[in-house]
Amino acid sequence: MASNSFRESKRGRHAQANHDVGDFNCSLKELRSLMELRGPEGITRIQECYGDVQGLCTRLRTSPIDGLGGHADDIARRKEEFGQNVIPPKKPKTFLQLVWEALQDVTLIILEVAAIISLGLSFYRPPDAERENCGKAAGGVEDEGEADAGWIEGAAILLSVVCVVLVTAFNDWSKEKQFRGLQSRIEQEQKFTVVRGGQVIQIHVAEIVVGDVAQVKYGDLLPADGVLIQGNDLKIDESSLTGESDHVKKTLDNDPMLLSGTHVMEGSGKILITAVGVNSQTGIIFTLLGAEEDEDDDEDEKKGRFSKGGAGVEMQPLNSDDGGEEKKKANLPKKEKSVLQGKLTKLAVQIGKAGLFMSGLTVIILITLFMVDTFWIQGLPWVADCTPIYIQFCVKFFIIGVTVLVVAVPEGLPLAVTISLAYSVKKMMKDNNLVRHLDACETMGNATAICSDKTGTLTMNRMTVVQAYLGARHYRVVPEPDLIPGKVLDLLIMGIGVNCAYTSKIMSPEKEGGLPRQVGNKTECALLGFVLDLRRDYMTIRNEIPEEKLFKVYTFNSVRKSMSTVLKNADGSYRMFSKGASEILLKKCCKIMTANGEAKVFKSRDRDDVVKKVIEPMASEGLRTICLAYRDFPPADGEPDWENETDILTGLTCLCVVGIEDPVRPEVPDAIKRCQRAGITVRMVTGDNINTARAIASKCGILQPGDDFLCIDGKEFNRRIRNELGEIEQERIDKIWPKLRVLARSSPTDKHTLVKGIMDSTVQEPRQVVAVTGDGTNDGPALKKADVGFAMGIAGTDVAKEASDIILTDDNFSSIVKAVMWGRNVYDSISKFLQFQLTVNVVAVIVAFTGACITQDSPLKAVQMLWVNLIMDTFASLALATEPPTESLLLRKPYGRNKPLISRTMMKNILGHAVYQLTIIFTLLFAGEQMFDIDSGRYAPLHAPPSEHYTIVFNTFVMMQLFNEINARKIHGERNVFDGIFKNMIFCSIVFGTFVIQIVIVQFGGKPFSCVGLTIDQWLWCVFLGFGCLLWGQVVTTVPTSRLKFLKSAGHGTQQEEIPEEELEEMEDLDEIDHAEMEMRRGQVLWCRGLGRIQTQIRVVNAFRDTMSPYEGLETPESRNSIHNFMTTPEFRIEDSEPQIPLIDDTEGEDDAPTKRNAAQTLPPHSKLATLSSSPNQNNNAVDMIAVLPACPGSPLNSLETSL
């Protein structure tokens, strides 16, 4: 009867398709208020208004079985009536805002002030005072025109500041655009399973409309609000909305309301979508947040903005208990900055301090010399009329001081990091690495250990049954159906048909002659394939017994390790089919089917025989073993207590044990060999049994024959790491992990414990940097804890992807090796840039300082310095940061956390080249006029015209930088600096472009650049002296670093031990240990805060990261555009919960045997795992909300879910 009414309503809907939009018997407002109710209130409302969920379906013109018809006009009308499933993104920053931010840089502000004062004073004419009376330096300018040109220097400085600002703003703008593009790509890949026209299809999340019937399964992130139509053991984690970490059980008779942005932690079901986009619970909160941003708007406007689609937004849900805590900040663990960032910030602050000191010294010496010279040596009195001239001199000295500072502070560093990371991220997309957090890319280069999953990462995740133990016989190949007793065969086919998720199925191959496609949980697909191999069809059984008729389903999780389905027979009896990990399920069997189709008693002795003769041989060949069993409940025994699982799941009859093969990916052994050569240890952490794991590890090359390595299972691991009280001890872990290569039958907690144990260990220097791969919901905690988390793009659940830093779009281990290569390349690029930048810094600062002190004027003028700064910073960072990686990067050991950024070899190069450059510059400065037979430019008066002499000094200086840029391409002391130079066209074009611009500046720069045109001879000399850098580079390389004992490395990461106790206590309140802040506290060099630019300029990263507050900085591009990404926004961390961690399993279907102890373990609120629930760490913005991820068994259909 029910189905007839749906057919009717379907026909009715087509008939009404042309009517006006109001033909749904349900308004948006009505549905919205319905979704704000919870539990029993919701049920009461549904019963009062619609009768039941079927009634609601009828009102929304949809069928609970066939879903919507899927006609374009119907979908369009629904979108118009109930809204689309998108949340409009926040506007990106405008170019002007970015310009304003770039102007906040302290050094630039100081320069601007100096330039403006200089401009003002240059227009001042002292009345009648004879200039000569004000001292020698002021006089000597006969030409009036020259005096009038005094304003040019100030104007030129302002102009160059404008250039720097525009370049910075443009860089930020283009990077932001790039990341938004990347983000929208991620979003377009998000799909969800709905039923339309009776067909199960996957559609983009944004295409979901009210009235759709969606299938939900473990590991899903719900993209819209809905009401449950039918569910099996469905449990939802609603902590993102309510802050309650307990999982909420959803059933038709106690709580059928499902909300967007919540995670499915167990079970499966069908829901009717009732609210999408801005009208869903998540959307409403976003709308309120959007409103808070514009707090200046008056209240009325605010009210107006909320009424979207005619329904006034109830502000109530936010003011209720749920939302109140949103602003509370829980006690969060301090998150270290990424390794590289920590080192860079520290280095930049040190350089900044040195620069500040030098520039202060320069100004003081200049002013003192001037005073001594004018008032003491020349013996002039102080004349009031001369005051402006003296001030002009002071301003000139001040500008020189600031220029020294500008050159000393490496503002190019953040730019280099940013460009290097952005470039790498773009290229890594091609290598199947989708980077979600920028710094993960660079951390990966330091990785020393990889803890990898087995299924799908090391193996192909294409399961097939290859052996079976049936009717007391062990078949080495799938048996012919006529060898199997009819009764056993029927039970087997029926059991597999109904006791596999209905979302798992075998589809016809995409290409002719290809392999059939496996959709859904791969282990279940293997069993369904087994049915097809026995020449039977599981679909006939599924058609006879649709999902709605299943009496009860115990879905798979990592505690049960099995899945069972109960059917009710016509005579009132029940039959239950079970499947699960063989050694666990066999313990619950008391009978076994024999060759003649009869059940005989199965004693523990028989069980040991089966384990020894069947299960262990299968496992040693790398097969996963699954046991299939059933049990009858006769009507005479009365209704069993279905909630008491232990009683239900005993007394089973074993039907068969199958061995499932999952072949190793062909490219994995080679990739693992490359990792080992690069000094990275690969460990396998799997839920499979130990023999299977050992066999696969040997095939992959993780275990070499004859090696002394550990292979243990979860139980043994826990026994070894816990003391008598059952507490985990770090020193016990330290005894195990260095040798551990395979951890089998591990629970999610074991994986997390291992990762944490390795990361916290101090046994080996340097500290380990750990990467983890995972695909299941239960891998979430470990992915989040690790330095870099890799989630699988094809087989991974949404939860795993949210917790990860990098998504492997092809689920392939060899892509991880590419990520290591790119990570090391980022590190090297930044070291190359530093080597180049610091050479220029050292030389420029020393030249400006000594020149100023000896000749009372800097040989390099402010504008020239700014140009050099531009070459150094922007251009060099572009040129050196875009070097492509080479295989040779994998031939060295990882740098580790404490390796200095500037090695002793680099320090040798920096100082060696500085010596050459300084020698040349000082020779030219003090003897250049004799060599070139030109007028000396030293001791020029205040407004003297530019001299050839100083132009040659400037030009030679720039030429030397250009050639040194080629030297900087190699940092490990290689001889051939031209190696692979033409593979990097960006580098070649930048060096060439800079050269051309330099010619233009020198020949036509004139007064603003303090340059005079040079002759061909002079040019050739400049180029020749520059070219000498390359030759000198070979000399420097020849000197062995080990001989130079005085060399120190620089740019270490700060060790926790280096931080004094008091400061550690002060830092308790901070979210992040900022090493730069500590440096500043010690030196109280507040001025250096301007170096905050080192942080702020990495605003790209902020584009990805902005976790500070929803209203500052850049929006996380991923956060607003789709409701699917709701959880990714930090605004919703309601952090007062103590996550109880149910340990539930992953897509590895039948994996993991946790011990009872793990089964319902709750952690103390401040234990490391509990804090996972939400750490608004500034680095890994996006996904800090995971309340601690339990699990997703075999996410059917998610193989398609986000494959890029």
Side-chain angles (χ1 to χ4, degrees):
M1 179 59 220
S3 60
N4 289 349
S5 68
F6 305 143
R7 299 284 135 63
E8 290 302 324
S9 73
K10 230 169 153 186
R11 242 177 261 130
R13 187 180 66 232
H14 298 322
Q16 290 185 350
N18 310 326
H19 293 193
D20 63 334
V21 178
D23 63 358
F24 299 106
N25 305 337
C26 233
S27 72
L28 176 61
K29 192 169 183 176
E30 216 177 296
L31 288 174
R32 199 138 124 176
S33 58
L34 169 68
M35 291 320 292
E36 273 157 16
L37 303 172
R38 304 279 180 275
E41 301 166 356
I43 295 178
T44 320
R45 169 75 65 89
I46 292 177
Q47 285 165 350
E48 284 169 5
C49 302
Y50 314 104
D52 58 4
V53 181
Q54 313 286 9
L56 182 56
C57 289
T58 315
R59 296 283 272 294
L60 285 172
R61 309 246 180 278
T62 183
S63 145
I65 294 172
D66 294 338
L68 295 176
H71 301 283
D73 53 346
D74 178 41
I75 303 291
R77 274 175 40 252
R78 286 172 190 273
K79 281 186 181 171
E80 198 177 323
E81 175 83 352
F82 299 111
Q84 287 188 321
N85 195 24
V86 283
I87 290 178
K90 190 177 155 195
K91 285 196 196 77
K93 291 205 167 167
T94 59
F95 187 68
L96 286 175
Q97 282 170 307
L98 293 172
V99 167
W100 177 243
E101 276 174 20
L103 277 170
Q104 309 300 308
D105 182 41
V106 181
T107 28
L108 289 181
I109 292 174
I110 294 177
L111 267 180
E112 288 155 23
V113 172
I116 290 166
I117 296 175
S118 160
L119 263 181
L121 288 170
S122 67
F123 290 121
Y124 176 80
R125 289 276 161 277
D128 312 329
E130 281 297 307
R131 291 177 74 98
E132 277 69 29
N133 300 347
C134 301
K136 271 197 300 221
V141 181
E142 289 77 42
D143 183 1
E144 259 311 293
E146 286 295 350
D148 289 344
W151 60 272
I152 291 182
E153 187 169 21
I157 293 178
L158 281 181
L159 191 69
S160 46
V161 166
V162 169
C163 281
V164 172
V165 166
L166 288 178
V167 167
T168 312
F170 178 74
N171 274 328
D172 287 349
W173 177 79
S174 59
K175 282 177 306 223
E176 194 174 312
K177 199 166 136 220
Q178 202 176 335
F179 279 109
R180 280 181 182 263
L182 190 68
Q183 212 41 51
S184 59
R185 268 186 76 173
I186 300 178
E187 267 159 21
Q188 283 158 14
E189 299 306 327
Q190 279 165 335
K191 295 198 167 167
F192 210 75
T193 313
V194 296
V195 180
R196 284 195 181 167
Q199 292 295 310
V200 177
I201 56 167
Q202 289 215 319
I203 58 172
H204 287 300
V205 166
E207 290 300 310
I208 294 176
V209 291
V210 171
D212 257 323
V213 173
Q215 290 193 343
V216 297
K217 58 184 182 315
Y218 21 53
D220 280 347
L221 180 61
L222 298 182
D225 293 354
V227 177
L228 192 63
I229 297 175
Q230 173 259 324
N232 305 322
D233 213 2
L234 196 61
K235 288 190 184 150
I236 306 285
D237 171 13
E238 293 189 344
S239 56
S240 58
L241 285 177
T242 63
E244 294 299 322
S245 58
D246 291 345
H247 294 168
V248 185
K249 202 168 166 123
K250 298 286 179 184
T251 55
L252 285 168
D253 34 10
N254 69 3
D255 183 3
M257 305 300 198
L258 284 90
L259 307 173
S260 56
T262 58
H263 280 109
V264 183
M265 285 311 184
E266 211 177 306
S268 59
K270 274 189 190 169
I271 61 170
L272 167 70
I273 303 289
T274 51
V276 295
V278 282
N279 301 310
S280 64
Q281 291 305 295
T282 311
I284 292 172
I285 297 179
F286 269 128
T287 320
L288 294 177
L289 279 171
E292 282 178 43
E293 278 180 35
D294 313 315
E295 275 171 11
D296 326 338
D297 306 4
D298 34 0
E299 293 300 305
D300 320 335
E301 255 188 75
K302 215 187 242 186
K303 289 194 186 87
R305 190 182 309 102
F306 281 143
S307 43
K308 157 91 182 167
V313 174
E314 301 269 331
M315 290 204 171
Q316 220 229 305
L318 263 196
N319 308 338
S320 67
D321 302 342
D322 307 353
E325 288 96 31
E326 267 186 30
K327 297 285 174 274
K328 270 194 203 163
K329 211 146 199 208
N331 216 349
L332 298 159
K334 286 170 286 297
K335 172 75 183 171
E336 289 265 350
K337 282 207 176 72
S338 86
V339 185
L340 184 65
Q341 246 183 312
K343 289 180 185 177
L344 278 179
T345 313
K346 197 170 166 186
L347 187 70
V349 170
Q350 288 165 346
I351 297 173
K353 282 182 180 177
L356 189 62
F357 174 72
M358 291 296 281
S359 63
L361 201 61
T362 312
V363 174
I364 292 166
I365 292 178
L366 282 174
I367 292 178
T368 318
L369 277 174
F370 174 73
M371 295 295 185
V372 169
D373 180 55
T374 309
F375 300 121
W376 195 41
I377 300 176
Q378 294 181 35
L380 294 177
W382 179 287
V383 185
D385 288 346
C386 287
T387 311
I389 290 183
Y390 296 148
I391 291 177
Q392 232 165 336
F393 268 107
C394 287
V395 170
K396 178 180 162 186
F397 297 151
F398 183 62
I399 288 178
I400 291 171
V402 174
T403 1
V404 172
L405 183 64
V406 170
V407 176
V409 174
E411 305 98 63
L413 261 184
L415 196 65
V417 178
T418 304
I419 291 174
S420 181
L421 287 175
Y423 172 76
S424 304
V425 166
K426 213 168 176 180
K427 292 286 189 204
M428 280 167 82
M429 280 292 289
K430 294 198 176 84
D431 285 338
N432 303 310
N433 283 290
L434 177 61
V435 181
R436 298 183 65 239
H437 300 138
L438 266 187
D439 48 5
C441 165
E442 149 260 314
T443 313
M444 202 50 217
N446 285 313
T448 54
I450 297 175
C451 293
S452 174
D453 243 3
K454 176 178 74 71
T455 310
T457 315
L458 300 173
T459 59
M460 291 169 84
N461 202 10
R462 184 178 176 83
M463 313 263 189
T464 39
V465 173
V466 289
Q467 297 188 17
Y469 177 75
L470 259 166
R473 271 192 66 187
H474 184 176
Y475 296 94
R476 293 279 166 180
V477 289
V478 177
E480 289 294 315
D482 46 5
L483 295 175
I484 304 170
K487 184 181 173 192
V488 178
L489 188 60
D490 291 340
L491 280 168
L492 196 58
I493 306 297
M494 168 78 100
I496 293 175
V498 297
N499 192 32
C500 285
Y502 278 39
T503 43
S504 299
K505 42 183 176 274
I506 306 270
M507 316 273 277
S508 50
E510 283 173 344
K511 296 192 186 77
E512 274 297 305
L515 291 167
R517 277 182 304 147
Q518 298 186 338
V519 178
N521 181 315
K522 298 294 191 272
T523 309
E524 294 185 336
C525 289
L527 294 171
L528 296 172
F530 181 49
V531 172
L532 299 176
D533 291 344
L534 294 173
R535 307 200 192 110
R536 295 296 188 89
D537 183 12
Y538 62 88
M539 277 319 288
T540 47
I541 290 168
R542 288 188 172 182
N543 294 337
E544 271 170 42
I545 309 172
E547 210 170 352
E548 293 76 35
K549 286 197 188 161
L550 302 179
F551 179 76
K552 179 152 185 67
V553 180
Y554 298 96
T555 50
F556 183 88
N557 67 32
S558 61
V559 179
R560 288 192 188 117
K561 281 291 176 211
S562 64
M563 171 175 174
S564 309
T565 302
V566 184
L567 301 176
K568 186 168 185 178
N569 301 328
D571 62 358
S573 64
Y574 298 94
R575 175 169 281 174
M576 176 178 79
F577 291 102
S578 295
K579 68 172 194 301
S582 53
E583 57 263 59
I584 292 170
L585 217 54
L586 276 179
K587 288 191 180 123
K588 298 180 177 165
C589 291
C590 63
K591 291 184 181 166
I592 188 164
M593 295 303 251
T594 57
N596 56 10
E598 297 303 316
K600 74 161 192 181
V601 179
F602 188 55
K603 299 196 178 72
S604 62
R605 194 174 60 245
D606 304 331
R607 184 185 312 123
D608 296 342
D609 274 357
V610 171
V611 169
K612 273 200 186 63
K613 293 182 179 155
V614 179
I615 292 176
E616 286 181 2
M618 281 184 184
S620 62
E621 291 172 39
L623 305 184
R624 165 185 286 185
T625 55
I626 301 288
C627 173
L628 301 165
Y630 79 103
R631 177 182 175 185
D632 284 324
F633 299 91
D637 297 356
E639 177 92 3
D641 174 10
W642 297 111
E643 294 309 311
N644 184 352
E645 263 182 70
T646 38
D647 288 357
I648 299 285
L649 206 63
T650 48
L652 305 176
T653 306
C654 173
L655 284 169
C656 88
V657 175
V658 292
I660 295 179
E661 181 184 46
D662 185 7
V664 171
R665 286 174 178 266
E667 62 284 345
V668 162
D670 178 52
I672 286 179
K673 200 176 273 134
R674 286 165 69 195
C675 278
Q676 289 163 342
R677 201 172 55 215
I680 301 168
T681 311
V682 182
R683 295 181 174 84
M684 181 203 285
V685 182
T686 176
D688 252 344
N689 80 31
I690 188 144
N691 298 327
T692 309
R694 191 182 280 125
I696 299 276
S698 305
K699 285 181 190 169
C700 293
I702 293 175
L703 292 175
Q704 305 288 349
D707 281 351
D708 170 27
F709 286 134
L710 274 181
C711 249
I712 56 177
D713 61 9
K715 202 178 276 177
E716 172 68 4
F717 175 70
N718 276 299
R719 193 182 63 69
R720 291 197 189 189
I721 62 171
R722 291 175 192 272
N723 60 17
E724 299 70 44
L725 304 171
E727 294 159 349
I728 296 172
E729 288 184 354
Q730 182 64 43
E731 49 271 24
R732 289 179 181 239
I733 297 182
D734 289 345
K735 285 187 189 134
I736 296 180
W737 74 258
K739 284 191 169 181
L740 182 69
R741 289 295 176 273
V742 176
L743 181 58
R745 279 278 175 249
S746 64
S747 70
T749 320
D750 296 338
K751 190 169 187 175
H752 180 266
T753 309
L754 176 67
V755 171
K756 181 179 178 302
I758 298 179
M759 286 171 66
D760 294 349
S761 173
T762 48
V763 200
Q764 292 188 0
E765 267 309 308
R767 179 165 104 56
Q768 299 280 306
V769 177
V770 184
V772 168
T773 70
D775 51 5
T777 309
N778 61 343
D779 293 324
L783 286 171
K784 195 106 194 65
K785 174 69 193 161
D787 292 292
V788 183
F790 286 91
M792 302 295 134
I794 302 169
T797 57
D798 292 338
V799 177
K801 288 176 192 164
E802 301 277 75
S804 67
D805 302 297
I806 298 179
I807 295 174
L808 295 176
T809 54
D810 62 347
D811 286 16
N812 194 336
F813 189 85
S814 57
S815 303
I816 298 177
V817 183
K818 300 255 178 64
V820 172
M821 215 154 87
W822 276 106
R824 292 187 173 189
N825 191 50
V826 168
Y827 217 86
D828 280 7
S829 297
I830 287 160
S831 294
K832 287 172 192 173
F833 173 69
L834 269 174
Q835 178 174 309
F836 173 68
Q837 166 109 17
L838 292 180
T839 313
V840 185
N841 279 6
V842 170
V843 175
V845 169
I846 294 178
V847 167
F849 176 70
T850 42
C853 296
I854 297 169
T855 66
Q856 292 174 35
D857 184 10
S858 168
L860 299 172
K861 300 291 182 286
V863 181
Q864 295 175 350
M865 290 279 220
L866 283 170
W867 161 237
V868 169
N869 216 25
L870 202 67
I871 302 180
M872 285 182 347
D873 289 356
T874 311
F875 297 154
S877 58
L878 254 175
L880 292 168
T882 52
E883 290 271 314
T886 56
E887 279 291 325
S888 60
L889 287 168
L890 293 175
L891 298 176
R892 62 170 174 77
K893 297 275 177 273
Y895 283 150
R897 278 180 192 270
N898 311 327
K899 165 127 183 10
L901 273 176
I902 300 168
S903 62
R904 292 183 56 207
T905 310
M906 287 167 63
M907 198 55 106
K908 175 185 77 178
N909 293 345
I910 292 171
L911 296 177
H913 285 291
V915 167
Y916 171 79
Q917 297 191 10
L918 286 170
T919 315
I920 299 288
I921 297 278
F922 283 134
T923 312
L924 286 178
L925 192 57
F926 297 111
E929 65 269 32
Q930 286 100 7
M931 289 160 60
F932 289 104
D933 191 25
I934 47 179
D935 294 335
S936 166
R938 295 193 300 282
Y939 307 113
L942 191 60
H943 292 297
S947 65
E948 267 182 296
H949 182 191
Y950 274 18
T951 307
I952 291 177
V953 173
F954 165 60
N955 200 22
T956 309
F957 180 64
V958 173
M959 288 301 122
M960 289 195 293
Q961 301 329 318
L962 275 184
F963 285 102
N964 195 29
E965 201 165 331
I966 298 172
N967 273 329
R969 291 183 66 246
K970 302 291 174 203
I971 50 173
H972 297 302
E974 298 91 331
R975 283 222 173 267
N976 181 5
V977 290
F978 291 101
D979 180 31
I981 193 165
F982 293 113
K983 286 188 188 144
N984 187 357
M985 288 324 291
I986 301 181
F987 184 89
C988 300
S989 45
I990 283 180
V991 171
F992 181 70
T994 315
F995 185 66
V996 172
I997 299 174
Q998 179 64 16
I999 296 176
V1000 173
I1001 286 177
V1002 170
Q1003 297 305 101
F1004 310 106
K1007 182 80 181 165
F1009 279 97
S1010 315
C1011 286
V1012 185
L1014 299 178
T1015 62
I1016 288 288
D1017 283 3
Q1018 290 165 339
W1019 262 104
L1020 287 173
W1021 273 106
C1022 292
V1023 175
F1024 170 70
L1025 291 171
F1027 182 74
C1029 268
L1030 290 176
L1031 305 175
W1032 179 253
Q1034 296 300 316
V1035 176
V1036 173
T1037 311
T1038 314
V1039 179
T1041 315
S1042 50
R1043 289 284 174 80
L1044 307 172
K1045 294 280 183 265
F1046 61 88
L1047 286 180
K1048 290 273 184 292
S1049 50
H1052 299 260
T1054 307
Q1055 300 299 297
Q1056 196 78 28
E1057 303 82 73
E1058 290 174 25
I1059 305 169
E1061 281 300 306
E1062 320 79 79
E1063 289 189 12
L1064 265 174
E1065 282 162 27
E1066 278 180 48
M1067 284 165 12
E1068 289 300 312
D1069 314 330
L1070 299 174
D1071 289 346
E1072 193 169 309
I1073 299 176
D1074 187 337
H1075 301 304
E1077 284 287 333
M1078 288 158 20
E1079 285 276 337
M1080 289 184 219
R1081 280 199 198 139
R1082 289 182 198 147
Q1084 293 300 310
V1085 190
L1086 283 174
W1087 182 88
C1088 280
R1089 287 256 163 110
L1091 278 167
R1093 181 172 183 200
I1094 297 282
Q1095 248 33 51
T1096 53
Q1097 228 202 14
I1098 308 191
R1099 280 201 45 268
V1100 198
V1101 191
N1102 290 0
F1104 236 24
R1105 240 190 230 170
D1106 171 52
T1107 22
M1108 299 311 297
S1109 113
Y1111 327 122
E1112 284 167 18
L1114 236 163
E1115 186 47 68
T1116 29
E1118 59 200 304
S1119 57
R1120 305 281 180 192
N1121 306 351
S1122 97
I1123 195 154
H1124 203 65
N1125 271 334
F1126 158 55
M1127 311 270 309
T1128 10
T1129 354
E1131 288 100 86
F1132 296 95
R1133 289 199 226 86
I1134 299 164
E1135 290 145 2
D1136 57 333
S1137 55
E1138 299 172 13
Q1140 267 86 35
I1141 297 165
L1143 299 169
I1144 304 184
D1145 202 44
D1146 64 346
T1147 25
E1148 290 215 337
E1150 274 52 42
D1151 285 4
D1152 302 17
T1155 48
K1156 275 280 172 283
R1157 176 184 59 257
N1158 293 340
Q1161 185 178 3
T1162 348
L1163 299 176
H1166 297 303
S1167 74
K1168 267 290 195 299
L1169 195 51
T1171 51
L1172 274 174
S1173 67
S1174 45
S1175 63
N1177 61 64
Q1178 268 67 331
N1179 286 344
N1180 294 3
N1181 73 340
V1183 205
D1184 302 318
M1185 74 309 152
I1186 297 172
V1188 170
L1189 303 169
C1192 134
S1195 279
L1197 278 173
N1198 67 6
S1199 45
L1200 301 164
E1201 214 150 74
T1202 47
S1203 47
L1204 271 168

